């Protein structure tokens, strides 16, 4: 067995490039939104214990085997953001005061960032209102290459905020507990 570690978007591009002559058999850890963007690259696989998993987590086409539930959160550095200023909602992140102060991984390279974007679009209604919100939010984002960099930059005090997965924020939230979610 040999492994390749990369962001979800990068892995998807590699699988697509190798589709005529695949060099891999299993993809582990990309989000369902990432896989659903290119379903033709995957074959069905039914877990032996699929009936024991929360039904909403199991896809009818068996193109994904669920392995976790991830919450997308707002991560902040407690030394850079005063308690009264901590964003409480996604809309709070569109305030012009946060321009270039929110780290967000490039969704074309990071599966978690892509999943977060899709989740926000679904939460805001999928239509024009959702896209209007996303376009306003993008104005404030500092796009970085990798999700892990977002956690580290907030934890190290390089940038005040990040849109992140809860698990990563907890793990990389700074050596002295300076980050919050």
């Amino acid at each position: 067995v040999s492994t390749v570690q990369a962001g979800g978007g990068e892995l998807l591009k590699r699988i697509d490039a190798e589709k005529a002559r695949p060099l891999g058999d299993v993809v582990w850890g990309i989000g369902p939104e990432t896989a659903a963007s290119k379903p033709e690259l995957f074959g069905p696989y039914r877990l032996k214990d699929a009936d024991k998993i929360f039904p909403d987590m199991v896809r009818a086409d068996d193109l994904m085997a669920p392995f976790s539930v991830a919450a997308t959160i707002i991560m902040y550095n407690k030394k850079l953001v005063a308690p009264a200023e901590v964003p409480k909602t996604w809309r709070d992140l569109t305030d012009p005061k946060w321009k270039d102060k929110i780290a967000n991984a490039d969704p074309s390279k990071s599966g978690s960032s892509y999943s977060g974007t899709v989740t926000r679009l679904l939460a805001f209604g999928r239509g024009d209102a959702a896209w209007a919100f996303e376009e306003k939010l993008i104005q404030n984002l500092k796009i970085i290459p990798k999700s892990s960099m977002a956690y580290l930059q907030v934890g190290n005090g390089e940038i005040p905020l990040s849109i992140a997965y809860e698990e990563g924020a907890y793990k990389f939230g700074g050596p002295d507990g300076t980050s919050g979610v």
Side-chain angles (χ1 to χ4, degrees), residues 99-169:
K99 181 155 182 62
D100 296 325
K101 295 181 179 178
I102 306 167
N104 192 68
D106 180 344
S108 72
K109 296 182 176 150
S110 164
S112 60
S113 182
Y114 181 80
S115 292
T117 302
V118 170
T119 300
R120 287 191 304 276
L121 289 170
L122 293 174
F124 280 91
R126 299 181 187 195
D128 292 342
W131 282 109
F133 165 78
E134 197 65 25
E135 288 171 358
K136 194 170 181 184
L137 174 63
I138 288 168
Q139 301 301 311
N140 287 351
L141 299 181
K142 179 181 174 189
I143 303 299
I144 56 177
K146 297 169 62 174
S147 298
S148 60
M149 289 175 66
Y151 307 127
L152 293 171
Q153 286 181 1
V154 173
N156 292 334
E158 297 171 46
I159 195 161
L161 302 167
S162 174
I163 298 172
Y165 270 172
E166 184 178 36
E167 178 185 0

Side-chain angles (χ1 to χ4, degrees), residues 2-125:
S2 73
T3 61
V4 174
Q5 285 188 320
E10 293 173 277
L11 289 172
L12 204 59
K13 287 176 187 171
R14 182 174 174 160
I15 294 165
D16 196 21
E18 296 174 359
K19 66 185 169 196
R21 190 167 173 245
L23 299 176
D25 298 312
V26 175
V27 178
W28 176 264
I30 65 172
E33 299 84 5
T34 302
S37 71
K38 289 278 199 173
E40 69 276 9
L41 299 177
F42 300 92
Y45 174 77
R46 183 78 172 166
L47 292 171
K48 179 178 80 171
D49 294 327
D51 61 323
K52 295 177 182 166
I53 298 172
F54 185 64
D56 289 347
M57 298 284 297
V58 180
R59 290 176 51 117
D61 61 10
D62 289 328
L63 290 183
M64 294 273 317
F67 63 93
S68 70
V69 176
T72 302
I73 52 92
I74 301 167
M75 179 181 179
Y76 67 96
N77 185 293
K78 293 177 182 178
K79 292 181 179 178
L80 301 178
V81 182
E85 297 293 314
V86 173
K88 305 282 189 277
T89 70
W90 293 113
R91 289 196 196 284
D92 291 346
L93 297 179
T94 63
D95 187 315
K97 72 180 178 185
W98 299 119
K99 181 155 182 62
D100 296 325
K101 295 181 179 178
I102 306 167
N104 192 68
D106 180 344
S108 72
K109 296 182 176 150
S110 164
S112 60
S113 182
Y114 181 80
S115 292
T117 302
V118 170
T119 300
R120 287 191 304 276
L121 289 170
L122 293 174
F124 280 91

